[in-house]
Structures are given as structure tokens and as C-alpha cells.
Amino acid sequence: MRVAFERQKYLIDYTLAALLRRKTRNLGLLLVYALLVFLFASVLLLSQGLRREAAALLQDAPEVIVQRLAAGRHDLLPADWLDSLRRIRGVSDARGRLWGYYYDPAVKANYTVMAAAERPLAEGEILIGAALARVRAIGVGDVFSLRAASGPPALFKVAGILEPSSELLSADLLLLSESGFRALFQFPPERYTDAVLTVSNPREASTVARKIALALPSSRPILRSEMLRTYDAVFDWREGVTFLALAAPLLAFAVLAWDKAAGLSAEEKREIGILKAIGWETGDILRMKLWEGALLSLTAFLLGYLLAWWQVFHGGARLFAPILKGWAVLYPDFRLTPTVDPGQILIVLAVTVVPYIVATLVPGWRAAIADPDAAMRG
Amino acid sequence: MLMSPALVALGLIAFVATGAVLLACGFALRILGCWDLASGGELQVRLERRTYLISTLLGFALGAELLSLLLFVHTAESLSSQFVGAMCATGVLNANAFGFPALLLKIAVFFLAALWLLLNRIDNRGYDYPLVRLKYGLLLALAPLTVAEATVQTLYFLGLKPDVITSCCGSLFGADGRGAAAELAGLPPEPTLVAFYGTGAALLVSGLAFRRRLRLGPLFAAGCALAFGVAIAAIIAVLSLYVYENPNHHCPFCLLKAGYGYLGYALYVPLFVAAAAGLGAGLIAPLGRIASLRAVVPGEVRRLTWLALGGFGIFYGLATWVIVRSNLVLLG
């Protein structure tokens, strides 16, 4: 065992020295290799972070949301529906929500406007999201003007700015009192945008949804688990598509690696010839070549992965954010929670190292089987 | 079909491994037909040279296959949030008819690939390619399985539709259900635990005896295979109950969830490694009779036996810890 170990140690020692002798050539390959790992790892780390963030946010989302449909479109929900919903066994509470969108031509963005019953707001007061406050350059005490549905501008006094820690949800949010909301949009009384239910036992949510669909045929119940599933599927799909798009650089890299491994310089050929002449076997040369690949792969992997990690969690993930995150005028500014998932590392290894090894094996073997005299003569 | 990086990576591994194995098969046929170590002819020299390439290529391909089993299970578990009705990997594997066959084929390929890698390792250490025919003969047996695994896995991935309502583990691993899984779940706890610890003790004794007498190899290999089977049955019938602290939840896949501290990986990885090492040790022990391997095989067998006993030791230790720590009272 010890002999075998020592043997590998000497082989690594020799391989490292040989790699360092041809610094520039190997550095080029290493950089391209690390870049490839960086690209794949960035996609995975970013979408994993986003998925985690979405799941954490939805943890606090209501178990069931009920909407009313008219001709297949979302319609306003009558207040008496809330009583019918509360009567369904398993539902501990049902609340009507008032919310909608407001297009602001000044910043060319849509705001989410919501009535916040749980906040003590007077009719003329408003709370605004941090991103919105930045864009409109307003603060507490300023007057914020919105165009009411009836035509004239409605003036609101900014009573506060929502905490930046909730920016993922509140970037473009405006919170009003119920009467303020109804006045702004001329919303009919006894009507709500939708209803949210609290279900005592979350495992009963799907049964409750079935009962709702039976009791109120024109309703559409939406479960939290369905939203989570949709998010998962969307991120998986975006990741998968980006991966497929990266197949072309991967192929180009495999060709480059093949070419580099196949184009041995005269000096390298002579070196292999001499090694074989002084007693190295074909197996030893092949092992040396494999160590060369392994050392290069390991360095490139560490370099690429660490760089991707830094880029995603500390550098703002600028590279793939437009594809994976989506896009909006008032985009929230948020930090992802850094994580490392062993399954992800396995995936990156599989898509980068496996093609590299396949591409370099045959040229390595060709070099290893050369006859010493032929190799030395070049 | 679902589109996920893990599926792309698994597909890539299957494609590369199958390609390597098929390439090697063509070579294996020539080896079986023309190999003659006594000859100094051009063909023999070419074959000897090429065997370096093929065995290294297969080493990587089959090594990737070993890892792909782990990735496959991990992926099935992580996709469970995307299927209506699925609570864990069981539901995802049940999402179409190819899920469980793909898993079973992957397990079969895992053990055969481990055995092949072991034979290759020993063969490389003998000076006269002593196992070359055996090795490539085994490869011809492994090839159809690898092709089947890649095909079934691809069909499985292509057939994954998130709108299919799948069944949760409760219906497959319920004691009242039908089929092999339900039979295992319905095993009575007390006799199962007796069989579990009895097999463990027998394996320890046979392992220690085997280290002294290599003739007992096949017995030890059979013991390892039996212990592996009993361990899987015990996980489904008893151990899972202790982990979930619920007398009706028998699922062997929910153990892989973060909620149970990824205990499943800590149980399955040593169990699979130990079973593969034990099977390998028992099966290669008779090769010690070959002159060029006389110095190599005993040491290798001893190491593998230690690995097998160590792996089973970790598994049994963890299993006992799970039982002792649990708040569930199943016996007495």
C-alpha cells in the first residue's frame, strides 16, 4: 500500500514539475476550463439561491387563495363569498384582499397597490417600497400624487418607507388604507380582489380546495404548494435551457482540450521517449497523463466554482441574472443566501470534467504507446 | 419532459458510459478471439497496447456510473416538489413505468461495474495480463445492462410529465398494499430485527474467518449479498418506522430528505460500498491460485474485507443508534 502511495506521490511530483515547465500553454487551457466551470456553476448557484428565496417567501404566503372567475377571467369577489368560505370545515379564517396595479407614466413602471387593513393608516396616507422611494426620490412626509380613476390627481402623504429587508416583496409596493384604496380606484363597495384562507391543518389544503370548487363553481382556488411547484418548475426549466445553450461552448472546449492534448511538441515527445527508455512503462506514462488531467481539472474546478460563488453571492450575480431572475423596471435589490449543495457539485463535475477526460484520453494514450526510439527521434 | 441540469448531467453520463462500453465491447470480442500472450505478432502487440486505453476509458466510464447512481437518487428526491402527489423520490420514480426499472438497473450496473473495476485493478498488477479474458468476458455481460440502463433512463426522463398525478410513498410501501414493496413493509418487526442482527453477527464471524482462509471467499460473498438484502428489508420494515417515529410510514426514500438530516445517505452509502467490497472480496479470492497474482490477491482481499466489515459496521452502528434514540416503542 505504502509503495503504491509513494509511487503516485512521485508521479504527481513529476507531473506538477512538467506542467510548470510549460506554464503559458497550460495556463491558457486552465483559464478556459475554469471559465467553463464558472459559467455552469454560476447558473446553478444563482437559480438555487433564487429558488430558496422564493420558497422562503412563500412559506409565509396564505395556504389557499380564492379568486372569482367570470368568462375564464379574474373578476371581483363579492363579500358574501367570505361567509360561504368560512363555513367550509377546515377553514379557520377567510379574509378579503384589495389589491391592484397602477401604471406610472413618470417612471414607466407598474406599481402594486394594496390595502393594508392591519396597518393604522388614515385615508390620505401611504406607505411606499424602498425601490420606489429611490426611483421617485421621495421620503417620509413628502406628498405622493397618483391619478385617481375618476380623473383628478389623488394626493397622499408618505407615512413611511417599507423596510429594505423585505425588498424582494415590497420593491414596487404601495400600501393604502381600505377607504383610500376604494376612493383611488373607485372600487365598488362589498367587493374584493380575492380572498385568502387560513387552513388549520395544511395537509387538508387540497381537500379544502376541492370543497371550495364544489360550493362556489365560479371560483378558482390556488394552493401554496401549487405556487411552490410552479416556481420550482420555472427555475428548473430556465436552468436546463441555459445549460443546453452552454453546450456549444462545452463542445468547443472539448475540441480545444483534444487539440492541446494531441498536439505534443517535439520536446514533449522526446521527454516521453526518454522516460520510456529509462524504464517507465506505458501504464506509467498513461497514469502521468491522467494525473495531469486530474490536477488541471481540480484546479480549474476550484477556481471556477469559487469565482462563481463569489460572483453570485457577493458580486450581484450580474451575468445570468437577466435570464434567471426575470426583469422589471422597479427590480428589488436583494442578496441571496450563500449555500453549497453536494448534488450541484456532482452536476458541474459531470458536465465539465467528464467531457474533458473523454477528450484527452485518446491523445494521452497515443503519446503513451509511442516507441521510445521513434519518440526520441521526433 | 422536465428540463433540469441534473437530468442533462445524468443523460450525459449515460451517453458517455454507454459509448465507452460499446466501444470496449468491440475490442473485447477481438481479445476473446485473438488474445495470445505467447505470440509476438503485430496483432497481439496492438491488442496489448490498446488494452491500456480501453481499461482506462472503462475505468472512468464505470466510475462515473457509480457516481450517477447517487446523483440519480438525489435528483429523484429533489424533483419530488414538482409532482402532484409526490412526497419524496418514490412518487417521482412512480411518475411513469420506467422509474423503478431505471433505479434497479442502475443498482445492478453499480455492483457489476464495481466488480469490473476491481478485476481491472488486480489484472493491472499481474505482469502477464492474467485476467484479461475474464475481465472482457464480464464486460460483454455488463454491456447489455448498461445499454438497457441508458435506454430506460432516457425513456423515464422523456416521459416525466409534471401534470401526471403520481402516488405517494404511503400507497407503495403500505403494509396493506400489494407487491414486493408492500410485502417488505408488512414484515413483522421482531423477527426482522432478529434476522437483521443475526445476519450481522454471522457476517462478522464469516469475515474474520475469511481473512484467515481465503477458500471461504464464495461463502463471504454470499453472506454479503444476504446481509445487503436483509438490511434493505430491515430499513423498509423496521428502521424507517424508528426514524419517522410513526408505526405506518415505511418509505426507504423519505430518509434522504433534509428533514431527517439526510440520514438515508449516511445509511445507504456505507451499505452499498460494503456490499460491493464484500462481493468483490469473496469473488476475487479464488483468483489467488493464479501464479502472477499469488502475491497480490491476499493483500487486496484483506483490504476489501476490512472495507466491507467497516462499511457494514458503520451501517449497523447507525441503525442501532436510530433505534435507541427513537421515541417510538415498537417492541414489548
Side-chain angles (χ1 to χ4, degrees):
Chain A
M1 190 73 180
R2 169 161 292 197
V3 177
F5 186 69
E6 290 285 319
R7 189 189 170 90
Q8 299 301 330
K9 213 173 84 180
Y10 288 131
L11 268 174
I12 295 176
D13 195 33
Y14 176 84
T15 313
L16 265 180
L19 279 172
L20 288 177
R21 269 201 299 280
R22 288 177 280 276
K23 264 192 228 90
T24 7
R25 191 184 127 109
N26 290 316
L27 201 66
L29 186 65
L30 181 75
L31 285 180
V32 177
Y33 199 165
L35 179 70
L36 195 74
V37 174
F38 167 78
L39 290 177
F40 279 105
S42 294
V43 174
L44 282 182
L45 285 171
L46 177 57
S47 57
Q48 163 116 356
L50 288 173
R51 194 179 299 151
R52 203 175 270 266
E53 207 71 21
L57 284 176
L58 285 175
Q59 279 308 311
D60 299 327
E63 283 292 342
V64 185
I65 296 174
V66 182
Q67 294 179 341
R68 182 186 174 186
L69 295 183
R73 307 278 297 179
H74 181 193
D75 194 17
L76 299 183
L77 183 134
D80 56 0
W81 272 35
L82 293 177
D83 293 325
S84 320
L85 289 172
R86 279 191 203 107
R87 275 200 295 275
I88 290 175
R89 188 165 295 172
V91 176
S92 54
D93 187 27
R95 253 178 336 107
R97 290 197 306 188
L98 287 171
W99 61 272
Y101 298 116
Y102 177 91
Y103 179 72
D104 187 352
V107 289
K108 296 192 177 63
N110 262 318
Y111 303 150
T112 308
V113 188
M114 198 166 181
E118 67 285 352
R119 302 212 187 215
L121 288 170
E123 193 175 330
E125 284 183 336
I126 194 167
L127 295 174
I128 62 174
L132 205 153
R134 265 199 312 272
V135 173
R136 292 284 298 249
I138 47 176
V140 180
D142 290 347
V143 172
F144 191 67
S145 141
L146 296 169
R147 198 181 150 91
S150 52
L155 300 179
F156 292 94
K157 191 172 153 224
V158 178
I161 299 197
L162 298 164
E163 304 86 50
S165 59
S166 66
E167 195 164 333
L168 195 53
L169 283 177
S170 66
D172 61 349
L173 189 64
L174 298 178
L175 290 182
L176 302 173
S177 64
E178 185 175 337
S179 49
F181 183 92
R182 288 191 187 276
L184 177 67
F185 290 113
Q186 296 211 308
F187 216 76
E190 298 293 299
R191 285 277 194 280
Y192 291 97
T193 315
D194 58 15
V196 293
L197 307 188
T198 316
V199 178
S200 320
N201 179 359
R203 290 185 178 197
E204 284 180 356
S206 57
T207 317
V208 167
R210 256 201 308 277
K211 285 185 188 170
I212 295 171
L214 273 179
L216 304 164
S218 62
S219 68
R220 175 168 69 175
I222 302 167
L223 297 180
R224 183 172 67 196
S225 56
E226 275 172 2
M227 288 194 270
L228 271 171
R229 197 159 43 241
T230 311
Y231 266 104
D232 257 2
V234 165
F235 283 126
D236 253 15
W237 187 82
R238 283 180 180 181
E239 265 179 345
V241 168
T242 324
F243 255 53
L244 285 187
L246 287 176
L250 181 67
L251 203 64
F253 168 71
V255 172
L256 175 78
W258 172 290
D259 192 50
K260 282 262 182 195
L264 289 185
S265 64
E267 186 197 345
E268 273 174 284
K269 279 190 190 147
R270 206 168 39 246
E271 213 172 278
I272 289 172
I274 293 171
L275 287 174
K276 287 192 94 167
I278 60 172
W280 282 42
E281 288 173 21
T282 306
D284 294 326
I285 307 271
L286 198 57
R287 236 162 270 145
M288 178 193 73
K289 286 275 160 204
L290 291 179
W291 270 120
E292 197 178 294
L295 289 171
L296 211 64
S297 298
L298 189 71
T299 320
F301 184 81
L302 280 178
L303 207 66
Y305 196 83
L306 285 178
L307 211 62
W309 202 83
W310 178 84
Q311 197 260 143
V312 169
F313 297 118
H314 298 283
R318 287 181 210 291
L319 199 58
F320 286 102
I323 308 169
L324 294 170
K325 258 191 349 195
W327 172 91
V329 175
L330 285 177
Y331 208 88
D333 191 16
F334 61 94
R335 280 265 162 107
L336 297 169
T337 321
T339 43
V340 174
D341 173 18
Q344 237 176 34
I345 294 183
L346 265 183
I347 295 172
V348 180
L349 278 176
V351 293
T352 54
V353 176
V354 171
Y356 174 76
I357 286 174
V358 171
T360 52
L361 203 59
V362 174
W365 167 75
R366 271 192 207 288
I369 58 164
D371 284 328
D373 62 327
M376 274 192 284
R377 265 189 253 124
Chain B
M1 123 176 229
L2 285 181
M3 181 83 92
S4 136
L7 303 190
V8 176
L10 279 167
L12 186 72
I13 292 180
F15 177 71
V16 168
T18 314
V21 168
L22 286 181
L23 189 78
C25 269
F27 179 70
L29 289 174
R30 284 175 68 194
I31 289 264
L32 292 176
C34 316
W35 185 264
D36 176 14
L37 197 60
S39 153
E42 198 184 330
L43 176 66
Q44 175 65 17
V45 173
R46 264 216 313 273
L47 286 180
E48 282 178 26
R49 280 180 170 175
R50 187 146 288 202
T51 182
Y52 282 106
L53 173 68
I54 298 295
S55 64
T56 317
L57 185 68
L58 279 176
F60 276 111
L62 297 181
E65 282 280 349
L66 304 188
L67 278 182
S68 95
L69 174 62
L70 194 65
L71 186 60
F72 183 77
V73 174
H74 179 83
T75 308
E77 168 53 41
S78 64
L79 286 181
S80 61
S81 60
Q82 294 185 30
F83 287 87
V84 181
M87 308 288 280
C88 66
T90 311
V92 179
L93 291 172
N94 245 338
N96 65 44
F98 298 106
F100 273 103
L103 177 68
L104 294 178
L105 278 169
K106 275 194 123 53
I107 293 177
V109 169
F110 172 87
F111 282 117
L112 277 179
L115 185 63
W116 194 92
L117 289 172
L118 213 57
L119 280 180
N120 184 42
R121 183 180 149 85
I122 302 216
D123 184 47
N124 284 344
R125 292 164 72 188
Y127 54 82
D128 57 350
Y129 308 97
L131 304 178
V132 82
R133 280 174 192 277
L134 178 64
K135 191 165 90 170
Y136 286 107
L138 177 65
L139 180 70
L140 290 182
L142 180 62
L145 268 182
T146 320
V147 174
E149 181 232 302
T151 317
V152 172
Q153 182 184 281
T154 312
L155 287 173
Y156 171 57
F157 289 161
L158 290 178
L160 276 181
K161 294 194 173 63
D163 52 343
V164 169
I165 297 179
T166 176
S167 54
C168 109
C169 47
S171 59
L172 186 65
F173 291 98
D176 310 325
R178 294 171 71 180
E183 291 290 332
L184 287 176
L187 289 176
E190 200 168 331
T192 309
L193 275 182
V194 171
F196 178 60
Y197 283 106
T199 324
L203 189 72
L204 182 65
V205 173
S206 73
L208 292 177
F210 172 51
R211 291 190 67 246
R212 290 173 190 280
R213 290 182 194 179
L214 295 189
R215 276 183 297 123
L216 298 174
L219 181 73
F220 182 64
C224 281
L226 182 71
F228 178 75
V230 172
I232 296 288
I235 288 177
I236 298 175
V238 190
L239 289 176
S240 51
L241 306 183
Y242 280 110
V243 176
Y244 312 131
E245 301 186 347
N246 174 344
N248 296 312
H249 192 185
H250 288 277
C251 179
F253 293 102
C254 284
L255 292 171
L256 301 166
K257 284 186 171 299
Y260 300 106
Y262 301 110
L263 182 72
Y265 293 103
L267 282 171
Y268 290 126
V269 172
L271 180 64
F272 273 74
V273 170
L279 281 173
L283 294 177
I284 63 169
L287 302 175
R289 284 196 286 271
I290 298 171
S292 61
L293 294 179
R294 207 163 282 151
V296 178
V297 167
E300 194 65 32
V301 165
R302 258 192 287 280
R303 261 199 298 283
L304 285 172
T305 313
W306 272 130
L307 184 62
L309 290 180
F312 275 113
I314 293 175
F315 174 76
Y316 270 86
L318 257 177
T320 311
W321 175 75
V322 162
I323 295 175
V324 171
R325 181 200 68 141
S326 175
N327 293 315
L328 180 75
V329 179
L330 205 59
L331 305 176

